[in-house]
Structures are given as structure tokens and as C-alpha cells.
Amino acid sequence: MQGSHELFERARRVIPAGAGSSARTFKFGWVPYPPFIAQGMGSRMTDVDGHEYVDYLLGLGPMILGHRHPVVTRAVQDAVAALGTCFGAPYELEIEGGPEVVDAVPSVEMVRFTNSGSRGRGHRVRLARAVTGRRLLVRFEVTTTAGRTSSTGATTSTPTRPVRPIIRGRLASGPGVPQELADTLINPVVNDPDSFQRVMDERGDEIAAVITEPAMFNTGCILPRPGYLELLARRDSQAWRRCSSSTRSSPAFASAAAALRSGTA
């Protein structure tokens, strides 16, 4: 992979660790460096050395139709030509796109579009804490949420560390992340029902939200065991129902909900 090596050496001079995301560095398993991609078409992409890959990352989620789908490409070109590139202000397509999401996802009532998963997750964490009046988050070991925002900035794992059915201590993900943030996290091990059940039994009434993904893909793809996601949803719903009616009817709750709904929070 001579071409990727040469580009990596160039990148390291101007980009920390030689990649635009920590998830694409040696710390997350790209040893000794990631392949540098030249182009993609459909479900496949090719690196600068000519190696072809099936692209399971798909832009970390949104590219479910693959690379350069002709309908998507044409729609992007038409929008840029007719409207502009990017606005730092509201525009009509947001209003048209919002109902599409609401109609597609039964649990969604309102939508705020963000330009990254980290920003979207920050909104969700703040909303959960405001609505429940609780401060603790459950964030599983071996997930892509590790250390990405000030809301969830702690981690205890590396991709090569074996997954064991225990609850590890909470450690700040690195310099610049206060240890106090780690103290708001509980870290059961992914795919281990017992460690999650123990957390919910002991501290379920203190937990504002459970943060997870259906499949953990930054670790090489860890699929959920049968019944595991259903367990998470069931216990999370039970914890919400135990949130006292006095909390949900309190002035603080009403004020937080109204501020978040109106966008003034």
C-alpha cells in the first residue's frame, strides 16, 4: 500500500494522527495507517493503490444508496445550482424534509437537522436530562460515542481489548475531558445482558438516557445478540415510567420541555 503510506506521511504533517477523525487512526485499529480512498461507486470503493472494498461504513450511516447514485447525485447538483451551497440560516427544504422523518419514525414528533452525529447526540443528551431531571447516562463499552462530545466525553475501551462481562470504571477519554464528566457515565459491556440488568436494577431511577447503536461498527462490527436490543428498550421504558408524575408535572419539567420545543434552550 505504497500510495496510502505516502499520503499518510503527508497527512501527518498537517492533520493530527494523519486522519480527520480519531476513529480512522491506529488507536481504533487502523494499523499502521488507514487506506486512503480514491473513489467510490455504488457499494464499493477503491483506494489509491487499486484495492477494492465493500463499503460497509457508507459515510458513517447516511449513504444507504451507496456512492454516486444517479438520482442522489442529480438532486444534489440541482439543489446547489438552483439554491446555493450551504446556508447558515433556515430555508424551505428543512420544512419539507422534517415531515418525511416524522412520518418514517413513529417515536419522532419533531426534528432538528444537524451536520454531525456528535451534535445530534448532544441535543439528545440535553433533552433527556432536561425532561427526566436526571444526570446519569448509560454508555456501553466498545461504541462509537467514546469521547466525541462534552456530553459523553469518556471512554474505557480500545477496539483490541477483549469484551468481558463486567462494568468498568469510568475514565476521561484524554486530555481536555474533565473527569467530572466521566462521573455522569455508567459503562456496562455491550451485548452483556447481565451487566446492563444490574445497572438498571441498582440505578435505573437515576438514569436519563441509554446511548447505544443497533450494531457497533467502529470495532469491526459487533452485532447484537438475539433479544439484546429488545431488552434495552424494555428496561429503558420501564425506567421512564418510574419517573415520578410529580417530576413530569413540575414547573422545572414544563419549563425545560417548552424551551426545548421552542428552540430557546
Side-chain angles (χ1 to χ4, degrees), residues 120-140 145 151-152 184-188 196 199-200 203-212 232-233 235-237 239-240 243:
R121 183 167 55 251
H123 285 313
R124 294 194 297 274
V125 166
R126 186 177 178 187
L127 176 64
R129 283 172 166 158
V131 168
T132 63
R134 302 167 178 175
R135 62 190 293 271
L136 296 183
L137 305 174
V138 171
R139 186 205 63 80
F140 294 92
T145 59
S151 303
T152 57
T184 67
L185 300 178
I186 301 176
N187 301 106
F196 178 69
V199 166
M200 299 305 288
R203 309 198 68 177
D205 292 339
E206 304 173 65
I207 293 170
V210 176
I211 303 173
T212 189
L232 301 189
R235 291 305 305 265
D236 200 33
S237 295
W240 164 246
C243 190

Side-chain angles (χ1 to χ4, degrees), residues 21-23 28 60 116-118 121 144-154 173 218:
S21 167
S22 297
F28 281 79
L60 302 182
S116 71
S118 297
R121 183 167 55 251
T144 62
T145 59
R148 297 296 299 277
T149 72
S150 60
S151 303
T152 57
S173 61
N218 262 5

Side-chain angles (χ1 to χ4, degrees), residues 22-263:
S22 297
R24 294 188 286 274
T25 64
F26 68 90
K27 178 181 178 182
F28 281 79
W30 299 97
V31 179
Y33 45 80
F36 280 70
I37 304 304
Q39 64 91 24
M41 177 65 75
S43 64
R44 298 178 180 272
M45 59 186 183
T46 305
D47 68 21
V48 295
D49 294 288
H51 302 111
E52 186 177 83
Y53 309 86
V54 175
D55 185 4
Y56 289 104
L57 290 178
L58 294 177
L60 302 182
M63 292 168 44
I64 59 175
L65 298 180
H67 296 274
R68 290 191 279 180
H69 190 286
V71 174
V72 176
T73 299
R74 186 165 55 251
V76 172
Q77 291 172 336
D78 291 346
V80 172
L83 303 176
T85 305
C86 182
F87 306 119
Y91 61 107
E92 189 173 1
L93 282 181
E94 290 181 312
I95 306 170
E96 296 178 4
E100 298 289 334
V101 178
V102 172
D103 291 343
V105 184
S107 61
V108 172
E109 298 176 356
M110 302 184 78
V111 173
R112 171 171 284 176
F113 294 106
T114 67
N115 60 3
S116 71
S118 297
R119 187 171 179 83
R121 183 167 55 251
H123 285 313
R124 294 194 297 274
V125 166
R126 186 177 178 187
L127 176 64
R129 283 172 166 158
V131 168
T132 63
R134 302 167 178 175
R135 62 190 293 271
L136 296 183
L137 305 174
V138 171
R139 186 205 63 80
F140 294 92
E141 273 204 13
V142 196
T143 76
T144 62
T145 59
R148 297 296 299 277
T149 72
S150 60
S151 303
T152 57
T155 182
T156 60
S157 63
T158 66
T160 56
R161 181 180 297 176
V163 174
R164 291 178 288 177
I166 60 174
I167 302 173
R168 300 189 189 278
R170 297 175 295 278
L171 303 173
S173 61
V177 179
Q179 181 63 37
E180 291 84 354
L181 287 176
D183 295 335
T184 67
L185 300 178
I186 301 176
N187 301 106
V189 174
V190 68
N191 255 342
D192 179 56
D194 291 340
S195 66
F196 178 69
Q197 294 266 41
R198 188 159 67 251
V199 166
M200 299 305 288
D201 288 342
E202 295 175 359
R203 309 198 68 177
D205 292 339
E206 304 173 65
I207 293 170
V210 176
I211 303 173
T212 189
E213 298 168 295
M216 310 303 176
F217 62 86
N218 262 5
T219 59
C221 190
I222 299 176
L223 297 177
R225 293 174 178 170
Y228 176 71
L229 296 179
E230 291 80 1
L231 169 66
L232 301 189
R234 184 171 64 254
R235 291 305 305 265
D236 200 33
S237 295
Q238 291 171 354
W240 164 246
R241 287 196 295 270
R242 288 200 303 271
C243 190
S244 67
S245 58
S246 60
T247 297
R248 282 181 277 175
S249 62
S250 69
F253 175 92
S255 175
L260 288 162
R261 179 174 288 271
S262 67

